[in-house]
Amino acid sequence: MAQIVFEHVTKTFRDKIALNDISFEIDKGEFVFITGKSGAGKSTLLKLILKLEEVTEGQITVKGRQLSSIKHGAVTAHRRRIGFMSPDIGLLRDRSVYDNIAFAMIATEKADRHMDATIRKLLGLVGLLTKRQAFPDELSGGEQARVLLARSLSVNPEILIADEPTANLDPDSAWDMMQLLEELNYRGMTILVASHARGLVTIMKRRCMTLVSGHLAVDEKNAIYNSKAMDVFEERRFFEEQRKRTGRIL
């Protein structure tokens, strides 16, 4: 069953086209990579799912509900049903690991009498229960990333969106993060990962959607980035193929 549906979605900012006529479906329980060079449209696509941006044309449906039908007052509730992890939304440096997650739960109205047990369970899941009283500056980059993951899970989401979750991580920490995401996916959670890490895509062998200048250039299962597959990142090649097929320059 499709959990996320894009139907001919276009997003423009003034005169710049960020996404151009994008259509795809993501089923419940899928693990999907979204790749592409900087400026290809990855972050815009994620923001549209979270309704942080509005579509210019087309329609997006998440969990059976068209986002265009969500009233302004219900947008916050929509976002709280989706876990979002991004290094751009970092940890509060003056609060402990435990308090960072507690603060997020209070802010999203997820705090209840089970909050302590929930936080301990989440930190146990990411292997940081013993560091619950540590402050962010006392953690490694990989540990901070795992706290961000735990925080994103505090809303008990069915869908988890991870924007560059391995940014600035060493290979071992990046692999640990992928293993955690794979475990969550194994438990039934739908996972979307926007990433530049092509090597991880090869190792994970999951569905991969590649954006090139706002166009969905490739959508393939069990993606492996060999030398030929890497050619899709050359925009000249992609647009030449489009020109030959359509007879016009996009």
Side-chain angles (χ1 to χ4, degrees), residues 157-209:
E158 291 183 25
I159 300 171
L160 175 66
I161 294 176
D163 191 4
E164 299 291 352
T166 60
N168 304 316
L169 298 185
D170 61 71
D172 287 343
S173 296
W175 179 240
D176 287 344
M177 177 58 65
M178 286 298 107
Q179 290 296 289
L180 285 169
L181 294 176
E182 189 167 54
E183 172 63 23
L184 292 169
N185 180 245
Y186 178 77
R187 297 181 182 189
M189 190 176 296
T190 304
I191 308 288
L192 276 70
V193 179
S195 178
H196 286 96
R198 304 170 192 170
L200 289 174
V201 175
T202 298
I203 294 171
M204 297 294 288
K205 294 182 176 62
R206 297 301 190 115
R207 178 181 175 185
C208 181
M209 300 192 302

Side-chain angles (χ1 to χ4, degrees), residues 29-243:
E30 274 200 271
F31 189 125
V32 183
F33 282 102
I34 302 169
T35 65
K37 296 194 298 187
S38 294
K42 302 187 300 299
S43 293
T44 298
L45 188 151
L46 300 184
K47 288 178 180 178
L48 289 174
I49 295 173
L50 290 163
K51 207 169 170 63
L52 292 169
E53 297 285 353
E54 299 291 340
V55 301
T56 304
E57 297 179 17
Q59 185 63 254
I60 299 173
T61 303
V62 178
K63 296 175 63 175
R65 187 172 185 181
Q66 291 185 346
L67 298 193
S68 60
S69 69
I70 297 178
K71 303 297 184 182
H72 179 73
V75 171
T76 298
H78 163 71
R79 292 173 186 158
R80 289 175 180 173
R81 288 192 288 268
I82 301 173
F84 181 55
M85 173 189 176
S86 171
D88 292 337
I89 308 175
L91 300 172
L92 299 172
R93 319 307 291 186
D94 62 343
R95 297 177 188 240
S96 68
V97 166
Y98 184 100
D99 288 340
N100 262 275
I101 299 175
F103 181 82
M105 294 183 70
I106 293 169
T108 56
E109 299 180 356
K110 294 294 181 178
D112 57 24
R113 61 190 179 89
H114 302 296
M115 185 173 72
D116 179 69
T118 298
I119 294 174
R120 288 173 178 270
K121 180 180 178 180
L122 292 173
L123 289 175
L125 175 67
V126 301
L128 291 175
L129 181 58
T130 60
K131 295 197 174 184
R132 60 188 178 277
Q133 297 305 327
F135 285 77
D137 290 341
E138 299 173 323
L139 305 177
S140 68
E143 288 171 335
Q144 291 184 40
R146 282 185 275 155
V147 177
L148 290 176
L149 175 59
R151 187 179 68 182
S152 71
L153 297 175
S154 66
V155 297
N156 192 28
E158 291 183 25
I159 300 171
L160 175 66
I161 294 176
D163 191 4
E164 299 291 352
T166 60
N168 304 316
L169 298 185
D170 61 71
D172 287 343
S173 296
W175 179 240
D176 287 344
M177 177 58 65
M178 286 298 107
Q179 290 296 289
L180 285 169
L181 294 176
E182 189 167 54
E183 172 63 23
L184 292 169
N185 180 245
Y186 178 77
R187 297 181 182 189
M189 190 176 296
T190 304
I191 308 288
L192 276 70
V193 179
S195 178
H196 286 96
R198 304 170 192 170
L200 289 174
V201 175
T202 298
I203 294 171
M204 297 294 288
K205 294 182 176 62
R206 297 301 190 115
R207 178 181 175 185
C208 181
M209 300 192 302
T210 301
L211 297 174
V212 175
S213 292
H215 296 80
L216 181 55
V218 175
D219 185 354
E220 56 187 350
K221 304 283 187 179
N222 304 318
I224 299 176
Y225 275 109
N226 55 35
S227 58
K228 291 183 179 180
M230 294 284 275
D231 286 347
V232 75
F233 288 89
E234 297 297 330
E235 294 182 15
R236 188 179 305 168
R237 173 189 174 94
F238 171 71
F239 286 120
E240 177 64 17
E241 291 175 350
Q242 292 290 306
R243 185 189 65 78

